[in-house]
Amino acid sequence: MKLVVVSAGLSVPSSTRLLADRLAAAVDRHAPVDIEVIELRELAVEIAHNFTNGFPGKGLAAAQDAVAGADGLVVVTPVFSASYSGLFKSFFDVLDKEALVGKPVLIGATGGTGRHSLVLEHALRPLFAYLRAVVVPTGVYAASEDWGAEGLAERIERAAGELAALMPLAPRGVGETVVPFAEQLAALQR
């Protein structure tokens, strides 16, 4: 199975990328996966050009294909102004409108304070619901004080297990028949 990780961290090193890597490693522990990481900061110019000329550059086209062909996604963004970053949103704006239909997605975010933790429920979950992805129940938010603190590792493992359970049921490309979510959940309970 193929797991694609989309990280919208801007700095190097990045707490956003650190969370993305921990989530991907946890998914791999639950079900072995091939992991491909997409660093959006490396695609920023191509994303902007796609908006102005309507054509993806080589790197952006490869990222779009990777997302469309993935069995599951881990998506992580830093919090800016109480929401996802503009770069994060722009990447999902330039995807094919059918690319995420039925695709299992684990959402994550990082921020300087725990006060922004509701970004998962008020910004990310609605975005991916609109894109008709299947968002796993547990999202993972990591504030600065969460690194090394009790609870983060457990949330990562729970979310990763949920994603790993859904990945075998994912459509494998744009336009493939999507099994309704209720049928997917019933299949997991068998």
Side-chain angles (χ1 to χ4, degrees):
M1 287 187 298
K2 182 179 177 185
L3 176 68
V4 172
V5 178
V6 178
S7 174
L10 297 178
S11 60
V12 178
S14 162
S15 62
T16 301
R17 175 64 190 266
L18 179 61
L19 179 58
D21 289 344
R22 288 192 181 180
L23 289 166
V27 172
D28 191 46
R29 285 192 294 277
H30 285 273
V33 292
D34 293 321
I35 300 169
E36 180 176 345
V37 178
I38 298 170
E39 285 278 4
L40 295 184
R41 66 183 166 73
E42 296 172 359
L43 298 173
V45 172
E46 288 188 43
I47 291 169
H49 285 166
N50 188 270
F51 279 114
T52 59
N53 67 21
F55 298 100
K58 193 162 109 176
L60 179 57
Q64 291 170 324
D65 290 344
V67 167
D71 296 300
L73 299 175
V74 169
V75 299
V76 186
T77 181
V79 175
F80 292 146
S81 302
S83 190
Y84 38 70
S85 73
L87 180 59
F88 183 84
K89 176 66 165 59
S90 294
F91 175 72
F92 290 100
D93 284 343
V94 299
L95 285 179
D96 182 285
K97 65 180 181 156
E98 303 292 315
L100 297 182
V101 175
K103 187 115 18 212
V105 176
L106 190 168
I107 56 174
T110 58
T113 174
R115 292 188 313 248
H116 292 296
S117 63
L118 286 176
V119 71
L120 297 172
E121 303 306 321
H122 293 283
L124 276 90
R125 195 171 299 277
L127 170 65
F128 289 98
Y130 174 79
L131 295 171
R132 297 180 288 156
V134 177
V135 182
V136 301
T138 304
V140 180
Y141 178 82
S144 297
E145 64 266 15
D146 289 327
W147 297 104
E150 191 174 315
L152 179 60
E154 291 81 8
R155 291 193 316 271
I156 287 170
E157 288 300 322
R158 183 173 56 242
E162 293 167 358
L163 181 63
L166 287 174
M167 286 177 63
L169 305 170
R172 303 245 178 344
V174 176
E176 183 174 308
T177 304
V178 177
V179 178
F181 187 62
E183 291 179 39
Q184 291 181 5
L185 288 177
L188 285 176
Q189 294 171 346
R190 291 184 202 145

